[in-house]
């Protein structure tokens, strides 16, 4: 499975994919890492792992659609089967999304459908929630609104600030994202219309709940 990972920054989720594909937990070939920022630390992770890396700078394009088209062109030589958005901080248009519909995953640091958009951890704290988490989902035109696949939660503890909470959530991101991609690699996961299916059965609205011993239904 030729996989592209698209990043904007640190790329710790990218690192989780590199590790999972090297240690046999993910049957994927990381074909290319694409960043919209030339200074993204994730590009160094790609170089260390000998993965091709390209930068397409969104500031070179006045329209989002043109940026998306440029990314499609940059990816074209790699015959990509699956795209992993990993801390990619740009909003995609239908130009990109329709080209990879059903093969485009994102991870969002909240228990979707709660808190789409930014500042998820602070919003969870402000709301007095008892738990937070992360959700892997298919990408559709609705921002952070595509069908959830896999979700992990963490407790919110007294004294938490958004930094501490983000770190706790990120640890779970690194577990659930490669696990969801492995379902895809195994042919178990698909997007059918607006519904995510695992082994042919609809996934619940919040996604499959991740179990500590491994991902299971
Ligand atoms: C993660 O929290 C991800 O959920 C969010 O941005 C962060 C990216 O972190 N969309 P990294 O670049 O993978 O370290």
């Amino acid at each position: 499975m030729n996989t592209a990972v698209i990043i904007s920054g640190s790329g710790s989720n990218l690192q989780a994919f590199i590790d999972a594909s090297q240690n046999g937990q993910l049957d994927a070939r990381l074909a290319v890492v694409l960043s919209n920022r030339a200074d993204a630390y994730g590009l160094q992770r790609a170089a260390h792992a000998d993965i091709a890396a390209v930068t397409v700078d969104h500031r070179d394009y006045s329209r989002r659609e043109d940026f998306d088209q440029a990314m499609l062109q940059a990816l074209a030589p790699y015959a990509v089967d699956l795209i992993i958005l990993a801390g990619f901080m740009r909003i995609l248009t239908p130009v990109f999304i329709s080209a990879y519909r059903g093969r485009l995953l994102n991870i969002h640091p909240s228990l979707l459908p709660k808190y789409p958009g930014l500042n998820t951890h602070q919003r969870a704290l402000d709301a007095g929630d008892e738990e937070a988490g992360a959700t892997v989902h298919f990408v559709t035109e609705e921002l952070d609104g595509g069908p959830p696949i896999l979700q992990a939660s963490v407790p919110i503890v007294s004294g938490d600030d958004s930094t501490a909470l983000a770190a706790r959530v990120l640890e779970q991101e690194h577990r659930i994202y490669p696990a969801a991609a492995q379902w895809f690699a195994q042919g178990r996961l698909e997007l059918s219309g607006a519904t995510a299916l695992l082994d042919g059965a609809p996934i619940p609205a919040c996604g499959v709940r991740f179990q500590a011993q491994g991902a299971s239904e």
Side-chain angles (χ1 to χ4, degrees):
M1 177 174 75
N2 279 337
T3 303
V5 183
I6 305 187
I7 62 168
S8 296
S10 156
S12 70
N13 278 288
L14 164 63
Q15 190 65 51
F17 273 82
I18 293 170
D19 296 345
S21 62
Q22 286 176 353
N23 69 22
Q25 289 177 333
L26 176 62
D27 300 314
R29 174 177 169 268
L30 300 182
V32 61
V33 172
L34 189 157
S35 173
N36 66 305
R37 300 181 54 107
D39 62 354
Y41 180 65
L43 291 173
Q44 294 185 39
R45 299 183 193 266
H48 284 137
D50 250 334
I51 301 168
V54 290
T55 298
V56 180
D57 191 332
H58 61 279
R59 293 169 302 185
D60 293 340
Y61 304 89
S62 53
R63 297 169 65 242
R64 285 188 193 276
E65 288 81 2
D66 294 340
F67 170 59
D68 282 8
Q69 195 60 52
M71 287 202 296
L72 290 177
Q73 276 172 21
L75 293 172
Y78 297 96
V80 169
D81 302 303
L82 176 68
I83 295 192
I84 297 298
L85 302 181
F88 178 61
M89 299 305 286
R90 304 298 301 170
I91 293 173
L92 293 168
T93 73
V95 167
F96 192 92
I97 294 168
S98 61
Y100 283 99
R101 177 171 295 278
R103 301 183 291 151
L104 182 55
L105 305 185
N106 183 42
I107 192 159
H108 183 73
S110 80
L111 297 172
L112 288 173
K114 272 190 162 183
Y115 314 130
L118 297 174
N119 303 320
T120 53
H121 306 299
Q122 192 58 52
R123 287 156 73 197
L125 290 167
D126 291 347
D129 291 354
E130 291 180 352
E131 59 173 15
T135 309
V136 180
H137 64 95
F138 278 112
V139 175
T140 61
E141 277 77 7
E142 193 190 338
L143 182 68
D144 301 325
I149 297 166
L150 188 53
Q151 189 167 78
S153 63
V154 300
I156 293 179
V157 300
S158 97
D160 261 349
D161 60 11
S162 63
T163 308
L165 183 55
R168 196 175 307 128
V169 170
L170 197 59
E171 255 177 57
Q172 297 304 314
E173 295 185 32
H174 299 160
R175 303 173 75 186
I176 64 174
Y177 210 177
Q182 177 63 358
W183 285 345
F184 192 89
Q186 293 170 323
R188 300 179 60 192
L189 181 65
E190 66 175 308
L191 178 65
S192 173
T195 307
L197 304 179
L198 181 63
D199 300 329
I203 291 177
C206 290
V208 174
R209 202 68 163 175
F210 184 74
Q211 309 291 328
Q213 297 311 308
S216 73
E217 299 93 90

